[in-house]
């Protein structure tokens, strides 16, 4: 049994543009709410239009990125986890030759949709070479595959440390 996951190092420009628009529009809406901006200027229709456009753009960004419809990372390769080995950075490493395997995995529930991007793996082999990557778990079914592989590793006596986190 094996599972393959996308590996990435960089996010897309679309992600950073959407994040910037979302942060700026949240700050502007917050300031407008705090200071109750109600002054008449010739620029008021432009400001109102920009606030509405930024709010809808932010909402669209959150929905598209949160559901995983649009990919927010550049795929650099694949991480393959199997019962007796793993392939990281194109190097096949047997689990009994690994000194340390550290995983940081996002938790998922049946309601989880979209891509979980906060996953990391770090492996030190018998030659003291360290391999590190960020990998993507695409939805709940892929999360279950990852958990099945990790349970198989536990049953086989593979020593690894894992840390779960939300988002």
């Amino acid at each position: 049994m094996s599972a393959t996951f996308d590996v990435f190092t960089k996010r897309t420009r679309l992600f950073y543009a959407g994040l910037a628009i979302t942060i700026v529009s949240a700050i502007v809406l917050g300031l407008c709410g705090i200071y109750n901006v109600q002054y008449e200027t010739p620029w008021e229709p432009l400001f109102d239009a920009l606030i509405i456009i930024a709010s809808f753009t932010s909402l669209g960004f959150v929905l598209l990125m949160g559901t995983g419809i649009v990919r927010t990372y550049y795929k650099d390769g694949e991480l393959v986890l199997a019962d007796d080995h793993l392939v990281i950075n194109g190097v096949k490493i047997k689990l009994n030759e690994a000194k340390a395997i550290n995983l940081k995995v996002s938790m998922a529930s049946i309601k989880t949709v979209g891509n979980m991007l906060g996953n990391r793996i770090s492996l030190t082999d018998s030659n003291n070479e360290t391999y590190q990557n960020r990998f993507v778990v695409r939805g709940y079914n892929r999360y279950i595959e990852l958990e099945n592989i990790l349970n198989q590793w536990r049953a086989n006596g593979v020593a690894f440390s894992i840390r779960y986190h939300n988002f």
Side-chain angles (χ1 to χ4, degrees):
M1 175 159 89
S2 68
T4 303
F5 302 97
D6 291 345
V7 171
F8 72 99
T9 54
K10 292 186 343 182
R11 298 284 194 130
T12 61
R13 288 186 184 141
L14 175 66
F15 173 79
Y16 289 115
L19 184 64
I21 290 170
T22 302
I23 290 172
V24 169
S25 62
I27 290 170
V28 168
L29 288 175
L31 290 174
C32 288
I34 291 171
Y35 293 112
N36 196 12
V37 180
Q38 295 180 4
Y39 52 87
E40 290 287 329
T41 67
W43 299 98
E44 187 175 2
L46 175 66
F47 292 148
D48 290 344
L50 288 176
I51 288 173
I52 291 169
I53 290 169
S55 298
F56 281 123
T57 303
S58 298
L59 180 64
F61 168 74
V62 169
L63 290 175
L64 288 175
M65 303 308 159
T67 57
I69 293 172
V70 176
R71 189 161 52 179
T72 61
Y73 59 91
Y74 293 112
K75 181 178 173 182
D76 290 339
E78 293 182 338
L79 170 69
V80 179
L81 303 177
D83 293 340
D84 61 343
H85 70 278
L86 58 87
V87 179
I88 186 169
N89 293 343
V91 178
K92 182 177 178 180
I93 301 169
K94 295 208 175 280
L95 292 176
N96 57 4
E97 295 175 2
K99 280 187 177 180
I101 302 172
N102 297 313
L103 291 162
K104 180 181 171 189
V105 178
S106 298
M107 291 180 64
S109 68
I110 193 89
K111 296 177 184 178
T112 302
V113 294
N115 299 331
M116 294 176 284
L117 301 171
N119 307 301
R120 299 183 187 283
I121 185 168
S122 173
L123 179 129
T124 305
D125 66 3
S126 58
N127 298 330
N128 287 330
E129 291 247 4
T130 302
Y131 302 94
Q132 295 181 4
N133 269 328
R134 297 190 296 177
F135 64 98
V136 180
V137 178
R138 293 181 171 215
Y140 183 70
N141 292 335
R142 301 290 291 166
Y143 176 76
I144 294 299
E145 289 179 22
L146 174 65
E147 284 297 318
N148 289 339
I149 293 287
L150 296 178
N151 289 336
Q152 186 65 39
W153 286 6
R154 284 184 191 99
N156 293 343
V158 176
F160 65 95
S161 69
I162 188 164
R163 189 175 63 183
Y164 292 98
H165 64 90
N166 292 327
F167 301 102

